[in-house]
Amino acid sequence: NDLDIIASGPGVPDPGTFEQCMEIVHGYGLESRLPVSVQKHLKKGAEKRVRETPKPGDPVFDNTFHAVIACGMDALKAAAAKAEALGYHPYILSDDVSGETVDAAGEHVRIALSIKAGAHGVSPPACLLSGGETTVTLQNPGKGGRNQEFALKCALDIAGLDNIAVLSAGTDGTDGPTDAAGGLVDTSSKRRAEKSGFDARHHLDGHDAYPLLEAAGDLYKTGPTFTNVMDMRVILVK
């Protein structure tokens, strides 16, 4: 909920500096991938030849006011209340899940299976909830997004089991450069995809979840929601 992070914080103090930007560029070896004009601008800024963005304490903010009216935990609590009303026992794991998407997906499935076995103080029918945003380290990328990849990884891990369903979606209705918010899979998703001629492991390794989920009928499309409190994952366990 840091104001300078939300929507890049255009109306609040920015603690970041040109020097920090250059450290990121050099640290990730991005010099050859950035437009020359961007490189020149960042270099000028680091050399103090371009003015920094307004920092905390700048009088330009004396007459401004900001308030966070909703956050990821609000969404998770609302989802938990709805799950409970539907007869599920809700369990909020975290509102700040991060790290590699496939690792996070694997951990969520492990927790779901332990809940199925009666762990974590919650018993089936249960609803495991989490928020936050994971990362996909792309190599030869196909089509998809982190939520679709999360769903596909879960589909592989729960294949052949009973009574588990997983939804992973962006609360803004968009996942990666696609028209889907994410994916909604169950224990039959892998089988249905393979019946349509798709190799689930191949598509996961190629970061190409979209076409497989589309073929399986497991893409989750909401359209733009006009709000964003990061991603949400919902796992139902019966």
Side-chain angles (χ1 to χ4, degrees):
N1 294 335
D2 293 338
L3 291 174
D4 65 296
I5 299 298
I6 299 173
S8 300
V12 299
D14 171 29
T17 65
F18 280 107
E19 186 175 350
Q20 289 173 328
C21 289
M22 292 302 295
E23 289 175 359
I24 293 172
V25 171
H26 296 318
Y28 287 92
L30 301 176
E31 294 87 349
S32 63
R33 300 174 60 183
L34 289 176
V36 174
S37 59
V38 173
Q39 294 187 55
K40 287 181 177 179
H41 183 73
L42 292 178
K43 184 178 180 180
K44 287 181 179 179
E47 294 173 349
K48 310 300 182 184
R49 292 187 288 146
V50 174
R51 184 179 178 182
E52 290 279 2
T53 50
K55 303 297 179 225
D58 193 304
V60 71
F61 300 111
D62 287 349
N63 295 316
T64 64
F65 172 80
H66 301 86
V68 176
I69 60 174
C71 66
M73 183 55 76
D74 293 326
L76 292 173
K77 288 179 178 178
K82 182 63 175 180
E84 191 166 25
L86 292 172
Y88 291 88
H89 303 127
Y91 179 77
I92 296 178
L93 176 63
S94 171
D95 66 341
D96 191 25
V97 172
S98 59
E100 283 291 327
T101 296
V102 292
D103 295 336
E107 182 62 21
H108 277 65
V109 170
R110 285 190 288 273
I111 294 173
L113 293 178
S114 66
I115 289 176
K116 197 173 179 66
H120 299 282
V122 58
S123 59
C127 178
L128 172 64
L129 297 158
S130 76
E133 293 184 350
T134 58
T135 299
V136 177
T137 301
L138 292 175
Q139 295 176 344
N140 301 317
K143 183 178 180 180
R146 59 178 175 263
N147 287 289
Q148 294 163 64
E149 182 152 321
F150 186 101
L152 178 53
K153 167 60 174 172
C154 287
L156 267 73
D157 289 354
I158 65 176
L161 300 178
D162 296 317
N163 299 321
I164 301 178
V166 179
L167 166 67
S168 183
T171 56
D172 59 356
T174 302
D175 182 43
T178 74
D179 60 351
L184 174 59
V185 300
D186 59 27
T187 56
S188 68
S189 293
K190 179 175 180 288
R191 173 178 55 79
R192 286 185 280 107
E194 291 177 343
K195 189 175 181 180
S196 298
F198 288 81
D199 184 322
R201 174 55 62 179
H202 173 76
H203 279 265
L204 179 63
D205 292 342
H207 310 295
D208 195 31
Y210 186 101
L212 183 145
L213 294 176
E214 183 178 41
D218 291 342
L219 283 176
Y220 185 68
K221 296 183 179 181
T222 62
T225 64
F226 305 106
T227 189
N228 187 359
V229 287
M230 304 181 77
D231 297 336
M232 180 182 289
R233 289 158 289 273
V234 182
I235 301 180
L236 299 183
V237 181
K238 290 188 176 181

